Amino acid sequence: MFGSPTPARDAEFTALVRSASASLTRTAYLLTGDAELSAELVQEALVRTYLAWPRVRSGVVEAYARRVLGNLN
């Protein structure tokens, strides 16, 4: 259903997490106004982004994760 995890997929996702976590956390904090809620929101957005990885176009992954943040909030 979601595609099998591969080493390349995991490496790409890890790179996203490293490069986008701070920015996603700031956005989540602006949405929630609470540090704990924003951390949980980012975590859930990253999980959903990972699950949707095969459908997400390369180059817009961070935008996709940011959109998930808004939708979850």
Side-chain angles (χ1 to χ4, degrees):
M1 177 176 176
F2 296 112
S4 299
T6 64
R9 176 180 171 181
D10 290 347
E12 291 170 358
F13 183 76
T14 299
L16 168 73
V17 171
R18 286 186 178 140
S19 68
S21 286
S23 175
L24 292 172
T25 301
R26 283 190 299 274
T27 300
Y29 185 80
L30 290 171
L31 291 170
T32 64
D34 182 271
E36 279 188 42
L37 287 176
S38 64
E40 291 177 20
L41 188 62
V42 169
Q43 191 71 29
E44 182 63 24
L46 289 171
V47 167
R48 291 185 184 204
T49 300
Y50 182 80
L51 293 175
W53 199 264
R55 296 185 319 245
V56 179
R57 287 182 292 156
S58 179
V60 296
V61 182
E62 187 174 347
Y64 182 90
R66 195 173 312 283
R67 178 71 181 256
V68 173
L69 281 176
N71 290 345
L72 287 172
N73 188 53

Short mmCIF file of all heavy atoms in Angstrom, two decimals:
data_model
loop_
_atom_site.label_atom_id
_atom_site.label_comp_id
_atom_site.label_asym_id
_atom_site.label_seq_id
_atom_site.Cartn_x
_atom_site.Cartn_y
_atom_site.Cartn_z
N MET A 1 0.81 -1.20 0.00
CA MET A 1 0.00 0.00 0.00
C MET A 1 0.86 1.26 0.00
O MET A 1 0.66 2.16 -0.78
CB MET A 1 -0.96 -0.03 1.18
CG MET A 1 -1.80 1.20 1.30
SD MET A 1 -2.96 0.98 2.67
CE MET A 1 -3.69 2.56 2.67
N PHE A 2 1.81 1.32 0.90
CA PHE A 2 2.65 2.52 1.00
C PHE A 2 4.01 2.32 0.36
O PHE A 2 4.84 3.20 0.41
CB PHE A 2 2.83 2.93 2.47
CG PHE A 2 1.55 3.35 3.13
CD1 PHE A 2 0.99 2.58 4.13
CD2 PHE A 2 0.90 4.49 2.74
CE1 PHE A 2 -0.18 2.97 4.73
CE2 PHE A 2 -0.27 4.88 3.34
CZ PHE A 2 -0.82 4.11 4.34
N GLY A 3 4.24 1.20 -0.21
CA GLY A 3 5.54 0.94 -0.79
C GLY A 3 6.50 0.45 0.28
O GLY A 3 6.39 0.79 1.44
N SER A 4 7.39 -0.38 -0.13
CA SER A 4 8.36 -0.94 0.81
C SER A 4 9.46 0.07 1.09
O SER A 4 9.95 0.73 0.19
CB SER A 4 8.98 -2.19 0.22
OG SER A 4 8.00 -3.16 -0.01
N PRO A 5 9.83 0.18 2.35
CA PRO A 5 10.97 1.05 2.67
C PRO A 5 12.23 0.51 1.99
O PRO A 5 12.44 -0.69 1.90
CB PRO A 5 11.08 0.94 4.19
CG PRO A 5 9.76 0.45 4.66
CD PRO A 5 9.21 -0.39 3.54
N THR A 6 13.03 1.41 1.51
CA THR A 6 14.30 1.05 0.90
C THR A 6 15.39 1.89 1.55
O THR A 6 15.10 2.94 2.14
CB THR A 6 14.29 1.34 -0.61
OG1 THR A 6 14.14 2.74 -0.81
CG2 THR A 6 13.17 0.60 -1.32
N PRO A 7 16.63 1.46 1.45
CA PRO A 7 17.72 2.27 2.01
C PRO A 7 17.76 3.68 1.41
O PRO A 7 18.00 4.66 2.12
CB PRO A 7 18.98 1.48 1.68
CG PRO A 7 18.51 0.07 1.59
CD PRO A 7 17.13 0.16 0.99
N ALA A 8 17.48 3.80 0.12
CA ALA A 8 17.50 5.12 -0.51
C ALA A 8 16.37 6.00 0.04
O ALA A 8 16.58 7.18 0.32
CB ALA A 8 17.36 4.99 -2.03
N ARG A 9 15.18 5.42 0.17
CA ARG A 9 14.04 6.16 0.72
C ARG A 9 14.35 6.62 2.15
O ARG A 9 14.09 7.77 2.51
CB ARG A 9 12.81 5.27 0.71
CG ARG A 9 11.58 5.87 1.33
CD ARG A 9 10.44 4.89 1.26
NE ARG A 9 9.29 5.31 2.03
CZ ARG A 9 8.19 4.61 2.12
NH1 ARG A 9 8.06 3.46 1.50
NH2 ARG A 9 7.19 5.05 2.84
N ASP A 10 14.90 5.71 2.95
CA ASP A 10 15.23 6.06 4.33
C ASP A 10 16.29 7.16 4.39
O ASP A 10 16.20 8.07 5.22
CB ASP A 10 15.70 4.83 5.10
CG ASP A 10 14.56 3.85 5.37
OD1 ASP A 10 13.38 4.22 5.18
OD2 ASP A 10 14.86 2.71 5.76
N ALA A 11 17.27 7.09 3.51
CA ALA A 11 18.32 8.12 3.48
C ALA A 11 17.74 9.47 3.07
O ALA A 11 18.09 10.50 3.66
CB ALA A 11 19.44 7.71 2.53
N GLU A 12 16.87 9.48 2.08
CA GLU A 12 16.24 10.73 1.66
C GLU A 12 15.37 11.31 2.77
O GLU A 12 15.37 12.51 3.02
CB GLU A 12 15.38 10.50 0.41
CG GLU A 12 16.18 10.20 -0.83
CD GLU A 12 15.30 9.75 -1.99
OE1 GLU A 12 14.08 9.63 -1.82
OE2 GLU A 12 15.87 9.50 -3.07
N PHE A 13 14.63 10.44 3.45
CA PHE A 13 13.78 10.91 4.54
C PHE A 13 14.62 11.45 5.70
O PHE A 13 14.29 12.49 6.28
CB PHE A 13 12.86 9.79 5.03
CG PHE A 13 11.92 10.25 6.11
CD1 PHE A 13 10.82 11.03 5.79
CD2 PHE A 13 12.15 9.92 7.42
CE1 PHE A 13 9.97 11.48 6.78
CE2 PHE A 13 11.30 10.36 8.42
CZ PHE A 13 10.20 11.14 8.10
N THR A 14 15.70 10.76 6.01
CA THR A 14 16.60 11.23 7.07
C THR A 14 17.15 12.60 6.73
O THR A 14 17.23 13.49 7.60
CB THR A 14 17.74 10.22 7.29
OG1 THR A 14 17.17 8.97 7.69
CG2 THR A 14 18.70 10.69 8.36
N ALA A 15 17.51 12.80 5.48
CA ALA A 15 18.00 14.12 5.05
C ALA A 15 16.91 15.18 5.22
O ALA A 15 17.20 16.31 5.64
CB ALA A 15 18.47 14.06 3.60
N LEU A 16 15.68 14.84 4.89
CA LEU A 16 14.57 15.78 5.10
C LEU A 16 14.43 16.14 6.57
O LEU A 16 14.31 17.32 6.92
CB LEU A 16 13.25 15.19 4.59
CG LEU A 16 12.00 15.98 5.02
CD1 LEU A 16 11.90 17.28 4.26
CD2 LEU A 16 10.75 15.15 4.89
N VAL A 17 14.44 15.15 7.42
CA VAL A 17 14.28 15.40 8.86
C VAL A 17 15.39 16.32 9.36
O VAL A 17 15.13 17.28 10.08
CB VAL A 17 14.26 14.07 9.64
CG1 VAL A 17 14.32 14.32 11.14
CG2 VAL A 17 13.01 13.27 9.28
N ARG A 18 16.61 16.06 8.94
CA ARG A 18 17.74 16.90 9.39
C ARG A 18 17.63 18.32 8.88
O ARG A 18 17.92 19.27 9.59
CB ARG A 18 19.05 16.28 8.95
CG ARG A 18 19.42 15.07 9.74
CD ARG A 18 20.79 14.56 9.39
NE ARG A 18 21.11 13.42 10.23
CZ ARG A 18 21.73 12.35 9.81
NH1 ARG A 18 22.14 12.27 8.55
NH2 ARG A 18 21.98 11.36 10.61
N SER A 19 17.22 18.47 7.64
CA SER A 19 17.21 19.82 7.05
C SER A 19 15.95 20.62 7.37
O SER A 19 16.00 21.84 7.39
CB SER A 19 17.38 19.73 5.53
OG SER A 19 16.23 19.14 4.94
N ALA A 20 14.85 19.95 7.64
CA ALA A 20 13.58 20.67 7.76
C ALA A 20 12.98 20.68 9.16
O ALA A 20 12.02 21.42 9.40
CB ALA A 20 12.57 20.08 6.79
N SER A 21 13.51 19.93 10.09
CA SER A 21 12.89 19.83 11.42
C SER A 21 12.75 21.18 12.12
O SER A 21 11.71 21.48 12.69
CB SER A 21 13.65 18.86 12.30
OG SER A 21 13.39 17.55 11.90
N ALA A 22 13.80 21.97 12.11
CA ALA A 22 13.74 23.26 12.80
C ALA A 22 12.68 24.17 12.19
O ALA A 22 11.88 24.79 12.91
CB ALA A 22 15.10 23.95 12.77
N SER A 23 12.64 24.21 10.89
CA SER A 23 11.65 25.04 10.20
C SER A 23 10.23 24.54 10.44
O SER A 23 9.31 25.33 10.70
CB SER A 23 11.95 25.05 8.70
OG SER A 23 10.96 25.74 7.99
N LEU A 24 10.05 23.23 10.39
CA LEU A 24 8.73 22.66 10.64
C LEU A 24 8.29 22.91 12.08
O LEU A 24 7.12 23.19 12.35
CB LEU A 24 8.72 21.16 10.33
CG LEU A 24 8.87 20.79 8.87
CD1 LEU A 24 9.04 19.27 8.72
CD2 LEU A 24 7.69 21.28 8.04
N THR A 25 9.23 22.84 13.01
CA THR A 25 8.92 23.09 14.41
C THR A 25 8.50 24.54 14.63
O THR A 25 7.55 24.81 15.36
CB THR A 25 10.11 22.72 15.31
OG1 THR A 25 10.41 21.33 15.11
CG2 THR A 25 9.82 22.97 16.77
N ARG A 26 9.18 25.46 13.98
CA ARG A 26 8.78 26.88 14.09
C ARG A 26 7.37 27.09 13.54
O ARG A 26 6.54 27.77 14.14
CB ARG A 26 9.77 27.78 13.36
CG ARG A 26 11.06 28.02 14.11
CD ARG A 26 11.90 29.11 13.47
NE ARG A 26 12.31 28.79 12.10
CZ ARG A 26 13.39 28.09 11.78
NH1 ARG A 26 14.16 27.63 12.73
NH2 ARG A 26 13.68 27.84 10.52
N THR A 27 7.09 26.48 12.39
CA THR A 27 5.77 26.61 11.80
C THR A 27 4.71 26.00 12.72
O THR A 27 3.65 26.60 12.94
CB THR A 27 5.72 25.92 10.42
OG1 THR A 27 6.68 26.54 9.57
CG2 THR A 27 4.35 26.00 9.80
N ALA A 28 5.00 24.83 13.26
CA ALA A 28 4.05 24.17 14.16
C ALA A 28 3.82 25.02 15.41
O ALA A 28 2.69 25.11 15.90
CB ALA A 28 4.56 22.79 14.54
N TYR A 29 4.87 25.64 15.93
CA TYR A 29 4.71 26.50 17.10
C TYR A 29 3.83 27.70 16.77
O TYR A 29 2.98 28.10 17.58
CB TYR A 29 6.06 26.96 17.64
CG TYR A 29 5.90 27.74 18.92
CD1 TYR A 29 5.71 27.08 20.13
CD2 TYR A 29 5.90 29.13 18.92
CE1 TYR A 29 5.53 27.79 21.31
CE2 TYR A 29 5.73 29.84 20.08
CZ TYR A 29 5.54 29.17 21.29
OH TYR A 29 5.35 29.88 22.44
N LEU A 30 4.01 28.26 15.60
CA LEU A 30 3.15 29.38 15.20
C LEU A 30 1.69 28.95 15.08
O LEU A 30 0.78 29.72 15.36
CB LEU A 30 3.63 29.98 13.87
CG LEU A 30 4.95 30.74 13.94
CD1 LEU A 30 5.41 31.10 12.52
CD2 LEU A 30 4.81 31.99 14.78
N LEU A 31 1.47 27.72 14.67
CA LEU A 31 0.11 27.20 14.54
C LEU A 31 -0.53 26.89 15.89
O LEU A 31 -1.72 27.12 16.08
CB LEU A 31 0.10 25.93 13.68
CG LEU A 31 0.40 26.10 12.20
CD1 LEU A 31 0.61 24.74 11.54
CD2 LEU A 31 -0.72 26.86 11.52
N THR A 32 0.28 26.35 16.82
CA THR A 32 -0.28 25.88 18.09
C THR A 32 -0.06 26.82 19.27
O THR A 32 -0.87 26.83 20.19
CB THR A 32 0.31 24.51 18.47
OG1 THR A 32 1.72 24.67 18.71
CG2 THR A 32 0.07 23.48 17.40
N GLY A 33 1.06 27.54 19.26
CA GLY A 33 1.38 28.40 20.40
C GLY A 33 1.87 27.62 21.60
O GLY A 33 1.97 28.15 22.70
N ASP A 34 2.20 26.34 21.41
CA ASP A 34 2.61 25.49 22.52
C ASP A 34 3.77 24.60 22.06
O ASP A 34 3.66 23.94 21.03
CB ASP A 34 1.41 24.64 22.97
CG ASP A 34 1.74 23.75 24.14
OD1 ASP A 34 2.19 22.61 23.89
OD2 ASP A 34 1.55 24.18 25.29
N ALA A 35 4.83 24.58 22.84
CA ALA A 35 6.02 23.83 22.45
C ALA A 35 5.77 22.32 22.39
O ALA A 35 6.21 21.65 21.45
CB ALA A 35 7.17 24.12 23.42
N GLU A 36 5.07 21.77 23.38
CA GLU A 36 4.80 20.33 23.38
C GLU A 36 3.89 19.93 22.23
O GLU A 36 4.13 18.94 21.55
CB GLU A 36 4.18 19.90 24.70
CG GLU A 36 5.19 19.71 25.81
CD GLU A 36 4.57 19.11 27.05
OE1 GLU A 36 3.73 18.18 26.93
OE2 GLU A 36 4.91 19.57 28.14
N LEU A 37 2.84 20.69 22.02
CA LEU A 37 1.92 20.39 20.92
C LEU A 37 2.62 20.51 19.58
O LEU A 37 2.37 19.72 18.67
CB LEU A 37 0.70 21.32 20.96
CG LEU A 37 -0.31 21.06 22.06
CD1 LEU A 37 -1.41 22.13 22.02
CD2 LEU A 37 -0.92 19.68 21.91
N SER A 38 3.49 21.50 19.45
CA SER A 38 4.19 21.67 18.18
C SER A 38 5.12 20.49 17.91
O SER A 38 5.22 20.02 16.78
CB SER A 38 4.94 23.00 18.13
OG SER A 38 5.96 23.05 19.08
N ALA A 39 5.79 19.99 18.95
CA ALA A 39 6.67 18.83 18.77
C ALA A 39 5.86 17.60 18.33
O ALA A 39 6.28 16.86 17.44
CB ALA A 39 7.42 18.53 20.06
N GLU A 40 4.71 17.39 18.95
CA GLU A 40 3.86 16.27 18.57
C GLU A 40 3.33 16.43 17.15
O GLU A 40 3.24 15.46 16.39
CB GLU A 40 2.70 16.14 19.55
CG GLU A 40 3.13 15.68 20.93
CD GLU A 40 1.98 15.64 21.92
OE1 GLU A 40 0.81 15.59 21.49
OE2 GLU A 40 2.26 15.64 23.13
N LEU A 41 2.97 17.65 16.80
CA LEU A 41 2.46 17.93 15.46
C LEU A 41 3.53 17.64 14.40
O LEU A 41 3.23 17.03 13.37
CB LEU A 41 1.99 19.38 15.39
CG LEU A 41 1.26 19.82 14.13
CD1 LEU A 41 -0.04 19.04 13.95
CD2 LEU A 41 0.94 21.31 14.22
N VAL A 42 4.75 18.07 14.65
CA VAL A 42 5.85 17.81 13.71
C VAL A 42 6.08 16.31 13.59
O VAL A 42 6.24 15.79 12.48
CB VAL A 42 7.14 18.53 14.15
CG1 VAL A 42 8.34 18.06 13.35
CG2 VAL A 42 6.96 20.04 14.01
N GLN A 43 6.07 15.61 14.71
CA GLN A 43 6.29 14.17 14.68
C GLN A 43 5.24 13.48 13.81
O GLN A 43 5.56 12.65 12.96
CB GLN A 43 6.26 13.60 16.11
CG GLN A 43 6.73 12.18 16.21
CD GLN A 43 8.22 12.05 15.98
OE1 GLN A 43 8.99 12.95 16.25
NE2 GLN A 43 8.64 10.92 15.48
N GLU A 44 3.98 13.82 14.02
CA GLU A 44 2.90 13.20 13.24
C GLU A 44 3.00 13.59 11.76
O GLU A 44 2.77 12.77 10.88
CB GLU A 44 1.55 13.61 13.81
CG GLU A 44 0.38 12.98 13.09
CD GLU A 44 0.32 11.46 13.19
OE1 GLU A 44 0.88 10.89 14.15
OE2 GLU A 44 -0.30 10.84 12.30
N ALA A 45 3.35 14.83 11.49
CA ALA A 45 3.49 15.27 10.09
C ALA A 45 4.62 14.51 9.40
O ALA A 45 4.49 14.13 8.23
CB ALA A 45 3.74 16.77 10.03
N LEU A 46 5.71 14.27 10.11
CA LEU A 46 6.82 13.52 9.52
C LEU A 46 6.45 12.06 9.28
O LEU A 46 6.82 11.48 8.26
CB LEU A 46 8.07 13.63 10.40
CG LEU A 46 8.74 15.01 10.38
CD1 LEU A 46 9.84 15.09 11.44
CD2 LEU A 46 9.28 15.35 9.01
N VAL A 47 5.70 11.47 10.19
CA VAL A 47 5.24 10.09 9.99
C VAL A 47 4.38 10.01 8.74
O VAL A 47 4.56 9.14 7.88
CB VAL A 47 4.47 9.58 11.23
CG1 VAL A 47 3.72 8.29 10.91
CG2 VAL A 47 5.40 9.39 12.40
N ARG A 48 3.44 10.93 8.61
CA ARG A 48 2.55 10.91 7.45
C ARG A 48 3.30 11.21 6.16
O ARG A 48 2.98 10.66 5.11
CB ARG A 48 1.40 11.88 7.66
CG ARG A 48 0.47 11.39 8.76
CD ARG A 48 -0.73 12.25 8.89
NE ARG A 48 -1.53 11.80 10.03
CZ ARG A 48 -2.82 12.02 10.14
NH1 ARG A 48 -3.46 12.70 9.21
NH2 ARG A 48 -3.48 11.59 11.19
N THR A 49 4.28 12.06 6.23
CA THR A 49 5.09 12.35 5.06
C THR A 49 5.88 11.11 4.64
O THR A 49 5.96 10.79 3.45
CB THR A 49 6.05 13.53 5.33
OG1 THR A 49 5.27 14.68 5.67
CG2 THR A 49 6.92 13.84 4.13
N TYR A 50 6.43 10.39 5.61
CA TYR A 50 7.16 9.17 5.30
C TYR A 50 6.24 8.15 4.63
O TYR A 50 6.61 7.50 3.66
CB TYR A 50 7.78 8.58 6.56
CG TYR A 50 8.59 7.34 6.29
CD1 TYR A 50 9.88 7.44 5.80
CD2 TYR A 50 8.06 6.08 6.52
CE1 TYR A 50 10.64 6.31 5.53
CE2 TYR A 50 8.80 4.94 6.25
CZ TYR A 50 10.09 5.06 5.77
OH TYR A 50 10.82 3.94 5.49
N LEU A 51 5.04 8.00 5.16
CA LEU A 51 4.10 7.03 4.60
C LEU A 51 3.68 7.41 3.18
O LEU A 51 3.41 6.54 2.36
CB LEU A 51 2.87 6.89 5.50
CG LEU A 51 3.14 6.26 6.88
CD1 LEU A 51 1.88 6.30 7.72
CD2 LEU A 51 3.65 4.84 6.72
N ALA A 52 3.63 8.70 2.90
CA ALA A 52 3.22 9.17 1.57
C ALA A 52 4.40 9.35 0.63
O ALA A 52 4.21 9.80 -0.51
CB ALA A 52 2.47 10.50 1.72
N TRP A 53 5.59 9.01 1.06
CA TRP A 53 6.82 9.27 0.30
C TRP A 53 6.73 8.88 -1.17
O TRP A 53 7.13 9.67 -2.03
CB TRP A 53 8.00 8.58 0.97
CG TRP A 53 9.31 9.14 0.55
CD1 TRP A 53 10.13 8.67 -0.42
CD2 TRP A 53 9.93 10.30 1.07
NE1 TRP A 53 11.25 9.46 -0.52
CE2 TRP A 53 11.14 10.48 0.39
CE3 TRP A 53 9.58 11.22 2.06
CZ2 TRP A 53 12.00 11.52 0.66
CZ3 TRP A 53 10.43 12.25 2.33
CH2 TRP A 53 11.63 12.40 1.63
N PRO A 54 6.22 7.71 -1.52
CA PRO A 54 6.16 7.35 -2.94
C PRO A 54 5.28 8.29 -3.78
O PRO A 54 5.49 8.43 -4.98
CB PRO A 54 5.58 5.93 -2.95
CG PRO A 54 5.84 5.41 -1.58
CD PRO A 54 5.79 6.60 -0.68
N ARG A 55 4.33 8.95 -3.15
CA ARG A 55 3.42 9.85 -3.88
C ARG A 55 3.92 11.29 -3.92
O ARG A 55 3.44 12.09 -4.71
CB ARG A 55 2.05 9.85 -3.22
CG ARG A 55 1.35 8.53 -3.26
CD ARG A 55 -0.05 8.67 -2.70
NE ARG A 55 -0.09 9.51 -1.52
CZ ARG A 55 -0.41 9.10 -0.30
NH1 ARG A 55 -0.72 7.85 -0.10
NH2 ARG A 55 -0.44 9.93 0.71
N VAL A 56 4.85 11.64 -3.05
CA VAL A 56 5.32 13.02 -2.96
C VAL A 56 6.38 13.26 -4.01
O VAL A 56 7.33 12.49 -4.15
CB VAL A 56 5.89 13.31 -1.55
CG1 VAL A 56 6.40 14.73 -1.45
CG2 VAL A 56 4.84 13.04 -0.49
N ARG A 57 6.21 14.35 -4.76
CA ARG A 57 7.20 14.67 -5.80
C ARG A 57 8.50 15.15 -5.19
O ARG A 57 8.50 15.90 -4.22
CB ARG A 57 6.65 15.76 -6.72
CG ARG A 57 5.57 15.27 -7.63
CD ARG A 57 5.10 16.35 -8.53
NE ARG A 57 4.40 17.34 -7.72
CZ ARG A 57 4.25 18.61 -8.04
NH1 ARG A 57 4.76 19.07 -9.15
NH2 ARG A 57 3.60 19.44 -7.26
N SER A 58 9.58 14.74 -5.78
CA SER A 58 10.89 15.17 -5.34
C SER A 58 10.99 16.69 -5.49
O SER A 58 10.54 17.26 -6.48
CB SER A 58 11.97 14.50 -6.19
OG SER A 58 13.24 14.93 -5.78
N GLY A 59 11.56 17.34 -4.51
CA GLY A 59 11.72 18.78 -4.57
C GLY A 59 10.64 19.55 -3.82
O GLY A 59 10.81 20.72 -3.55
N VAL A 60 9.54 18.88 -3.51
CA VAL A 60 8.47 19.56 -2.78
C VAL A 60 8.13 18.83 -1.48
O VAL A 60 7.07 19.02 -0.92
CB VAL A 60 7.19 19.73 -3.64
CG1 VAL A 60 7.45 20.61 -4.83
CG2 VAL A 60 6.63 18.39 -4.05
N VAL A 61 9.05 18.04 -1.01
CA VAL A 61 8.79 17.22 0.17
C VAL A 61 8.59 18.09 1.41
O VAL A 61 7.67 17.86 2.20
CB VAL A 61 9.94 16.21 0.39
CG1 VAL A 61 9.65 15.34 1.59
CG2 VAL A 61 10.14 15.37 -0.84
N GLU A 62 9.41 19.11 1.59
CA GLU A 62 9.24 19.98 2.76
C GLU A 62 7.92 20.73 2.68
O GLU A 62 7.23 20.89 3.69
CB GLU A 62 10.40 20.96 2.89
CG GLU A 62 10.33 21.77 4.18
CD GLU A 62 11.54 22.64 4.41
OE1 GLU A 62 12.56 22.47 3.72
OE2 GLU A 62 11.45 23.50 5.29
N ALA A 63 7.54 21.16 1.51
CA ALA A 63 6.25 21.83 1.34
C ALA A 63 5.11 20.88 1.66
O ALA A 63 4.11 21.27 2.28
CB ALA A 63 6.12 22.37 -0.08
N TYR A 64 5.25 19.63 1.25
CA TYR A 64 4.23 18.62 1.56
C TYR A 64 4.11 18.46 3.07
O TYR A 64 3.00 18.46 3.62
CB TYR A 64 4.60 17.30 0.90
CG TYR A 64 3.57 16.22 1.14
CD1 TYR A 64 2.51 16.05 0.27
CD2 TYR A 64 3.64 15.38 2.25
CE1 TYR A 64 1.54 15.08 0.49
CE2 TYR A 64 2.70 14.40 2.49
CZ TYR A 64 1.64 14.26 1.60
OH TYR A 64 0.69 13.29 1.84
N ALA A 65 5.24 18.33 3.77
CA ALA A 65 5.22 18.17 5.22
C ALA A 65 4.60 19.39 5.90
O ALA A 65 3.84 19.26 6.86
CB ALA A 65 6.65 17.94 5.74
N ARG A 66 4.89 20.58 5.38
CA ARG A 66 4.32 21.80 5.96
C ARG A 66 2.80 21.81 5.76
O ARG A 66 2.04 22.21 6.63
CB ARG A 66 4.97 23.02 5.31
CG ARG A 66 4.72 24.31 6.07
CD ARG A 66 5.51 25.46 5.49
NE ARG A 66 6.91 25.16 5.26
CZ ARG A 66 7.85 25.10 6.22
NH1 ARG A 66 7.53 25.31 7.47
NH2 ARG A 66 9.09 24.83 5.90
N ARG A 67 2.36 21.35 4.61
CA ARG A 67 0.92 21.27 4.34
C ARG A 67 0.24 20.29 5.29
O ARG A 67 -0.85 20.54 5.80
CB ARG A 67 0.70 20.85 2.89
CG ARG A 67 -0.73 20.68 2.48
CD ARG A 67 -1.41 22.05 2.42
NE ARG A 67 -2.78 21.93 2.06
CZ ARG A 67 -3.26 22.22 0.86
NH1 ARG A 67 -2.47 22.67 -0.08
NH2 ARG A 67 -4.53 22.08 0.60
N VAL A 68 0.91 19.17 5.55
CA VAL A 68 0.40 18.19 6.51
C VAL A 68 0.26 18.82 7.88
O VAL A 68 -0.74 18.59 8.58
CB VAL A 68 1.28 16.92 6.55
CG1 VAL A 68 0.85 15.99 7.66
CG2 VAL A 68 1.25 16.20 5.20
N LEU A 69 1.24 19.63 8.27
CA LEU A 69 1.15 20.33 9.58
C LEU A 69 -0.14 21.14 9.66
O LEU A 69 -0.87 21.06 10.65
CB LEU A 69 2.32 21.30 9.75
CG LEU A 69 3.66 20.79 10.15
CD1 LEU A 69 4.67 21.94 10.16
CD2 LEU A 69 3.62 20.13 11.50
N GLY A 70 -0.38 21.92 8.65
CA GLY A 70 -1.60 22.74 8.64
C GLY A 70 -2.86 21.91 8.67
O GLY A 70 -3.81 22.22 9.40
N ASN A 71 -2.88 20.85 7.88
CA ASN A 71 -4.07 19.99 7.84
C ASN A 71 -4.31 19.29 9.18
O ASN A 71 -5.45 19.16 9.61
CB ASN A 71 -3.94 18.95 6.73
CG ASN A 71 -4.05 19.57 5.36
OD1 ASN A 71 -4.49 20.69 5.19
ND2 ASN A 71 -3.62 18.82 4.35
N LEU A 72 -3.24 18.84 9.82
CA LEU A 72 -3.39 18.18 11.12
C LEU A 72 -3.85 19.15 12.21
O LEU A 72 -4.60 18.77 13.09
CB LEU A 72 -2.07 17.55 11.55
CG LEU A 72 -1.65 16.29 10.82
CD1 LEU A 72 -0.23 15.90 11.22
CD2 LEU A 72 -2.61 15.16 11.14
N ASN A 73 -3.37 20.37 12.12
CA ASN A 73 -3.73 21.36 13.13
C ASN A 73 -5.18 21.73 13.00
O ASN A 73 -5.89 21.91 13.93
CB ASN A 73 -2.85 22.60 13.02
CG ASN A 73 -3.08 23.55 14.18
OD1 ASN A 73 -2.99 23.15 15.31
ND2 ASN A 73 -3.40 24.77 13.87
#
